[in-house]
Amino acid sequence: MAARPELARRVLLYWMDGMIAFIAVAFAFMLLGLVSGGTISAERALLAGALLLTQFALFPFILRAAYDDKPRPTVLLVISGLAMLASVALVPPGLGASTWEIVAGLWLAGLAISVPWRVSVAFGVALAAITVPVAVVVSGLPLAVALVGEGATLVVTPLATWLLVWLWRTIKEAHESQEAKSRLAVAEERLRFARDLHDLLGHSLSVISIKSELAAKLSAKNTGRAAGEMSQVRELAGVALAEVQAAVEGYRSLDLSLELATVRATLEAAGARCTVKAHIDDLTPAARTLLAWAVREGATNILKHSTATRCAITIDRGVLEMRNNGVKGPRRTTGSGLRGLSERLTAAGGTFSASVTDADSDSGEFLLRAAVPA
């Protein structure tokens, strides 16, 4: 799905890789132009091209180290910096095209995403102090023009690269935060259920234990009283069992309106546009609970088994339909979750089906249909 962090990471990285490839091709044509015009020799152009290729080839590795929070690629930065300095010494700015600031800006971009910003600023100022005078001397540009051109490249390129890395880290942190919230919600629900069971059973089981022990002691001396104590134990056990059954039933019940809102937010957060049209006011509480389980299982199925970008949920007269795209070819529809849902609905007198509607398409649609007695 479009908003999944891994897909966002690939898009950002491949976009940067494409930009590097474009710059490399542009520099190749620039060097060919300088050679054909007699500005530099073929040998000099080949050496400069090899140095530039080294720098361009190392940049994707430097970029990925920043994206994946790996250790600082110090060796790669040093080699890239040396290649940059050597290539610029062979083809200084002013020889047909601006060489220095673009190459230096690219190296500075790798530095900006790998070291503290103060270090990057210091290197940027040092590079500007060198490049501006060289551009003025070699190309004869006015000082103001050279200062703006060289300085802008040395600022914009690192800043744009840093912003892309920042964007990726923000997306990653947001996803991790969402996962943490989900885990916390599950943990809180488990804690609540454990607390409820403790509150329900703690007192009852303590009394049952005491009365059972008392009945055992009285069984040899006073059988009538012992029988009375055991009768109370039986009653207490029945009450405790009823309380547990009520707690479990409440734990297993779902609110349909809340489930629809939660599923919609979850799918849209995962990158799938979700529309909901539900008429549920005339449904019985039992029917609402069954459809809530169907909605939850359907959403789980979408997240696990598709790359959906859209999902439509409709409920009318006790019939639920969930339709999503992004299904890759035919697939099994007999997973344990769907099978369990089918059994639950059938036992309640409803019907259930789940199938791919367009199995021959590379991004077919999947339809989950559940009907309950309204």
Side-chain angles (χ1 to χ4, degrees):
M1 296 179 187
R4 285 178 177 170
E6 185 57 31
L7 180 57
R9 174 184 177 276
R10 289 199 299 268
V11 169
L12 292 172
L13 285 174
Y14 292 164
W15 185 84
M16 287 299 298
D17 291 344
M19 292 298 296
I20 296 301
F22 175 79
I23 294 174
V25 172
F27 269 91
F29 280 103
M30 184 268 292
L31 290 174
L32 288 175
L34 293 177
V35 172
S36 62
T39 305
I40 60 175
S41 65
E43 292 79 7
R44 185 177 172 185
L46 285 174
L47 181 56
L51 292 168
L52 289 173
L53 183 61
T54 299
Q55 182 184 358
F56 294 152
L58 291 178
F59 187 79
F61 294 99
I62 297 173
L63 192 65
R64 281 161 174 77
Y67 271 70
D68 297 336
D69 294 323
K70 293 181 179 179
R72 183 184 304 165
T74 304
V75 175
L76 298 182
L77 288 170
V78 171
I79 296 174
S80 178
L82 292 175
M84 178 267 295
L85 292 173
S87 65
V88 171
L90 290 170
V91 188
L95 293 181
S98 296
T99 306
W100 182 291
E101 68 271 19
I102 298 177
V103 178
L106 187 62
W107 177 79
L108 195 60
L111 194 69
I113 60 177
S114 304
V115 300
W117 68 269
R118 293 182 180 84
V119 178
S120 302
V121 171
F123 274 95
V125 171
L127 287 172
I130 299 173
T131 58
V132 172
V134 171
V136 171
V137 172
V138 176
S139 61
L141 292 175
L143 178 60
V145 176
L147 186 62
V148 172
E150 306 288 329
T153 303
L154 292 176
V155 171
V156 172
T157 306
L159 181 60
T161 306
W162 181 87
L163 285 174
L164 287 176
V165 175
W166 173 83
L167 176 62
W168 155 243
R169 289 174 177 169
T170 301
I171 293 173
K172 182 180 178 183
E173 289 174 2
H175 180 72
E176 291 175 348
S177 175
Q178 187 64 34
E179 287 187 336
K181 288 180 180 179
S182 300
R183 290 193 297 268
L184 180 60
V186 172
E188 288 179 346
E189 184 63 16
R190 288 175 177 172
L191 180 61
R192 183 197 69 79
F193 190 58
R195 183 175 60 248
D196 289 349
L197 284 180
H198 177 271
D199 293 342
L200 290 171
L201 293 179
H203 176 72
S204 297
L205 292 179
S206 297
V207 175
I208 288 173
S209 176
I210 294 173
K211 287 188 172 291
S212 298
E213 183 179 354
L214 178 60
K217 292 179 179 180
L218 292 174
S219 60
K221 301 178 181 179
N222 190 339
T223 55
R225 186 179 175 186
E229 294 291 342
M230 289 306 300
S231 176
Q232 293 182 21
V233 167
R234 185 177 66 253
E235 293 176 359
L236 286 170
V239 172
L241 179 60
E243 289 177 340
V244 171
Q245 289 174 339
V248 172
E249 183 62 29
Y251 181 75
R252 295 179 61 187
S253 65
L254 296 176
D255 182 82
L256 180 55
S257 298
L258 178 60
E259 199 64 31
L260 286 169
T262 301
V263 164
R264 179 176 183 177
T266 301
L267 292 177
E268 291 189 345
R273 183 170 56 87
C274 184
T275 59
V276 177
K277 295 181 180 179
H279 304 284
I280 61 177
D281 293 339
D282 57 342
L283 297 178
T284 64
R288 291 190 182 200
T289 299
L290 286 171
L291 291 182
W293 279 109
V295 169
R296 172 176 290 189
E297 182 59 34
T300 302
N301 196 60
I302 293 172
L303 293 172
K304 291 176 61 177
H305 301 298
S306 77
T307 56
T309 57
R310 66 178 184 274
C311 174
I313 303 175
T314 60
I315 300 178
D316 188 27
R317 298 179 182 179
V319 178
L320 162 71
E321 288 190 354
M322 292 184 66
R323 189 185 300 270
N324 65 276
N325 68 337
V327 179
K328 299 297 184 181
R331 56 176 294 273
R332 295 187 302 111
T333 60
T334 56
S336 59
L338 295 179
R339 185 168 56 250
L341 178 60
S342 176
E343 294 171 354
R344 183 194 297 259
L345 288 166
T346 302
T351 60
F352 174 81
S353 64
S355 62
V356 178
T357 60
D358 190 3
D360 296 329
S361 174
D362 289 336
S363 59
E365 289 191 339
F366 189 84
L367 174 63
L368 182 150
R369 190 177 188 276
V372 297

